[in-house]
Amino acid sequence: MDDRRGPQVKFPPPMMFISMILVAMALELAVPMGFKLPEPVHYMGLLLPLVGSLALLKIAINFRQKSTNIEPWKPTSTVIVDGIYAYSRNPIYLLFCSYPLGIGLFVGKGWVILSTLPSLVLVYQFAIAPEERYLTQKFGDDYQDYCRKVPRWLLWF
């Protein structure tokens, strides 16, 4: 297998989330869906991206320790199956959800919270699906066994 090109993810997944947040902000201007929450809930919105960022940092360190690329457009040398990857095959993308959810709660914008859903659809279509094809081709039965044991997100879908 020619592995120099990796899974060929063309658009960085964080940009998918950022793009959808920007679309949501535009929708918020056109069709406001702001809401009021108790002040402590708004501040909890700050915690989500902070916790997400710390978890992403831990994952990035784990990738570096295992000498494999975290960027989905680069070749992978190993499938990480321990740590948070024992519970979710895509924890990075799941943690990216902490940004629109947290920002939406903090600023009280429903469209921003809802932007999480199209972001996940885009990430599945343009990152996860190509990654899964690549990993199946490269690692075969080992990767397929991992997929049977560990859900894509945190639930079995």
Side-chain angles (χ1 to χ4, degrees):
M1 173 185 175
D2 179 14
D3 194 30
R4 290 174 286 171
R5 297 177 65 201
Q8 299 184 47
V9 172
K10 307 272 189 245
F11 195 71
M15 292 306 297
M16 295 177 204
F17 281 86
I18 291 167
S19 297
M20 288 297 97
I21 289 171
L22 294 173
V23 167
M25 295 300 255
L27 271 170
E28 193 66 45
L29 290 173
V31 185
M33 193 168 65
F35 53 87
K36 295 283 183 196
L37 293 170
E39 200 167 316
V41 175
H42 282 286
Y43 289 108
M44 282 179 53
L46 290 176
L47 282 176
L48 281 171
L50 177 63
V51 170
S53 295
L54 291 173
L56 287 167
L57 179 61
K58 182 167 178 32
I59 289 171
I61 291 167
N62 192 17
F63 269 72
R64 175 163 246 164
Q65 289 171 337
K66 304 246 184 203
S67 299
T68 192
N69 293 308
I70 195 169
E71 301 90 349
W73 50 87
K74 292 183 178 178
T76 300
S77 61
T78 187
V79 176
I80 298 176
V81 298
D82 58 352
I84 195 167
Y85 281 87
Y87 303 99
S88 170
R89 294 193 317 258
N90 293 283
I92 293 174
Y93 303 139
L94 193 57
L95 289 165
F96 284 166
C97 294
S98 68
Y99 295 95
L101 293 173
I103 291 166
L105 283 174
F106 182 67
V107 298
K109 305 294 183 193
W111 287 115
V112 176
I113 292 169
L114 290 176
S115 75
T116 306
L117 298 174
S119 297
L120 289 173
V121 170
L122 289 172
V123 163
Y124 176 78
Q125 184 69 34
F126 295 105
I128 293 172
E131 286 176 356
E132 288 181 344
R133 284 191 297 271
Y134 164 77
L135 294 171
T136 298
Q137 186 179 7
K138 182 167 182 175
F139 297 104
D141 290 339
D142 289 340
Y143 181 69
Q144 289 297 313
D145 290 342
Y146 171 66
C147 289
R148 281 189 285 279
K149 293 175 190 167
V150 178
R152 178 172 291 125
W153 306 109
L154 289 174
L155 305 172
W156 287 101
F157 64 94

